[in-house]
Amino acid sequence: MCSIPTKMGPLKMPRLLQSNHAGIEEAAARIESGGVVVFPTETVYGLGASTFAVDGLKLIYEIKGRPSDNPLIAHVLDAVEARTLVSGWDMRCSRLAAKFWPGPLTMILHKAIDVPDQATAGLQTIAVRSPMHPVARALLYAVDGPISAPSANRSGHVSPTNTEHVIADFPEQEDLLVLEGGRANFGIESTVLDLTAEKPVIRRPGSITLEALSRVLGAVEVAQGIGQGVSPGTRLIHYAPKIPTMLVPSNRLESFLATLKEPAAVLTLDSARVSAPHIGIQMQTDASAYARMLYSKLREAEISGLTHIVIEEPQGQDGLWFAVLDRLRRAAASVL
Ligand code: TXA
Ligand code: MG
C-alpha cells in the first residue's frame, strides 16, 4: 500500500516501482503469484498478468472494467516463446518477427490448446507481440513466461503513455504496482495484424504501417470500417476522452470555433490560428512526434477545465498518419 500524507489524511494510490533490479523482482513476484502489474511498453503502458494465471487474468478485466468478450494481447520475449502459444506459425510470421520484433506489431493466430480461455476471451485465436521497451523485456525475463496485457487505462478511456496517466485512471487501486518506464516512445497502440486466413488483415493500424507490412507480405487488407470514420455509436471500442471531442477539417477550424458557445481546448498544428476564449494546444507536424504526444495532449485537454476538445484534422493520410487518424476518429464523438 502507498500513501502520501495530506491535510485531508493519507492519500491512497497505486505504488510506483523504480525499474531497477529490486523493482523488477517485486513486479515479477507479483505476476508469478497470480497478481497484476502495470508495466511500460514502447507503445503504451500495459496492465499485465501471467497468461497462465486465470485469477490474474480475471483481475485485469475487473480493474479495467473491460467487457469480458474483449481478448488480450500476450507479450512474449521472442518468436520462440510466441510459438508456444499459437498453432499455425508459418513463414509469414517468421519473416514478420525477424523484421519487426521486438516492436509494435501484434500478430493474431490460432491459439495453442493449453492457453486458458480467459487469455483470449474464449476465442480460438490469440494475439501475440514482443515488446521492445527494456523494462517490459526485463520483466518478461524475470517472469519467465508470457504476460497478457491490455492497455493500462479504464476501459474505453485514452491509453496511458506515462505513469501519471495510469495513476489518474486507477487512483483507488492502492494494491496496484506500477513499474516506472518514462514516456512511451511510440505513443499509440501496436498494429494488430490478423494472420488466421491466407490474406493478412490489419484489425488496428499502428506504427508498423500498411506500407511496411506490404513490403514483407505482399497484399495486406485493412479491416472494414477502419479509416472510414465509422459512426461513433456503433464502434466497439472507444479510445475517448471524457469530454465531448470533435474532429474538424483544417480549412474549417476558425469558422467552426466561431460557432462554439463555450471555450474549447484545441489540438492544432498551428496554435496561432486559435484565439481567445479558446485555448490552443500545439501539436507537432511530424507523424511520429504527433503520435507520441497525442494521448498526453488529449488527457491534458480533458482536465483543462474546458468543456470541449476540438481537434484540427491533420492533412496526412498514409503511413503512420493512417493510424493517427484512426485514433482521432475513435476519440471524436463527432467527425465534421
Ligand atoms: O500496444 C499495444 O498493443 C498495447 C501494449 C500494452 O502492448 N496493448 C493494447 O491492448 O493496446 P488492448 O487490449 O488495449 O488492445 C488489444 C486489441 C483489442 O482491440 C483487442 O480486441 C484485439 O487487440 N485483440 C486481442 N486479441 C485478439 C484476437 N484473438 N482476435 C482479434 N482481436 C484481438
Ligand atoms: Mg486498450
Side-chain angles (χ1 to χ4, degrees):
M1 191 202 298
C2 176
S3 58
I4 293 174
T6 67
K7 279 185 192 148
M8 315 270 295
L11 178 73
K12 305 263 174 48
M13 57 182 234
R15 180 149 64 90
L16 273 178
L17 291 176
Q18 293 310 305
S19 45
N20 52 23
H21 182 71
I24 300 281
E25 286 300 311
E26 186 173 350
R30 178 66 67 91
I31 286 183
E32 279 170 343
S33 68
V36 298
V37 166
V38 174
F39 64 99
T41 83
E42 69 279 15
T43 56
V44 300
Y45 277 70
L47 175 63
S50 162
T51 301
F52 294 97
V54 170
D55 285 347
L57 298 169
K58 285 185 181 154
L59 208 51
I60 291 175
Y61 284 87
E62 217 174 283
I63 291 175
K64 279 197 65 147
R66 184 177 177 97
S68 58
D69 60 354
N70 194 358
L72 307 174
I73 296 175
H75 296 71
V76 293
L77 273 175
D78 51 26
V80 173
E81 190 166 45
R83 294 178 75 155
T84 65
L85 297 176
V86 309
S87 85
W89 183 276
D90 58 18
M91 273 306 292
R92 300 175 303 174
C93 306
S94 295
R95 288 168 58 206
L96 289 169
K99 178 95 181 140
F100 300 116
W101 278 6
L105 174 66
T106 295
M107 300 189 220
I108 300 177
L109 289 158
H110 292 288
K111 80 177 185 78
I113 34 175
D114 58 337
V115 173
D117 283 345
Q118 289 81 358
T120 63
L123 295 180
Q124 292 309 304
T125 56
I126 184 165
V128 286
R129 111 169 169 92
S130 180
M132 66 160 65
H133 194 295
V135 176
R137 300 192 66 74
L139 183 64
L140 283 166
Y141 273 112
V143 164
D144 194 23
I147 298 176
S148 292
S151 51
N153 51 276
R154 269 190 200 283
S155 183
H157 197 210
V158 177
S159 294
T161 55
N162 63 40
T163 53
E164 280 172 29
H165 298 162
V166 175
I167 290 167
D169 270 19
F170 302 114
E172 76 294 352
Q173 294 288 342
E174 59 194 61
D175 280 332
L176 188 60
L177 299 179
V178 179
L179 262 177
E180 183 55 73
R183 183 175 72 160
N185 239 334
F186 287 82
I188 58 170
E189 307 80 355
S190 63
T191 304
V192 176
L193 183 67
D194 189 336
L195 290 155
T196 56
E198 208 171 304
K199 194 99 168 265
V201 182
I202 294 179
R203 303 229 166 262
R204 180 177 69 185
S207 298
I208 306 297
T209 62
L210 171 65
E211 294 82 350
L213 291 170
S214 304
R215 280 195 287 276
V216 175
L217 295 174
V220 175
E221 275 177 17
V222 177
Q224 251 193 337
I226 293 177
Q228 292 162 16
V230 227
S231 97
T234 64
R235 264 177 238 146
L236 214 59
I237 302 167
H238 298 249
Y239 293 72
K242 292 175 193 151
I243 59 175
T245 301
M246 283 152 287
L247 183 62
V248 177
S250 182
N251 60 2
R252 288 169 60 189
L253 184 64
E254 285 90 346
S255 58
F256 179 75
L257 291 176
T259 66
L260 290 180
K261 294 198 174 61
E262 310 227 10
V266 188
L267 270 59
T268 173
L269 296 159
D270 178 7
S271 50
R273 293 177 62 192
V274 179
S275 44
H278 306 298
I279 307 286
I281 295 180
Q282 179 70 48
M283 300 298 288
Q284 302 223 29
T285 49
D286 166 72
S288 330
Y290 192 106
R292 187 177 308 129
M293 74 199 305
L294 175 61
Y295 290 158
S296 272
K297 295 299 175 188
L298 283 176
R299 283 174 177 260
E300 190 180 310
E302 186 181 68
I303 58 172
S304 64
L306 303 177
T307 52
H308 288 78
I309 300 173
V310 172
I311 305 171
E312 174 191 353
E313 191 174 332
Q315 305 285 329
Q317 300 283 330
D318 303 327
L320 181 54
W321 283 117
F322 185 68
V324 167
L325 284 175
D326 168 71
R327 300 309 192 279
L328 295 181
R329 293 194 178 110
R330 289 169 188 266
S334 60
V335 179
L336 296 193

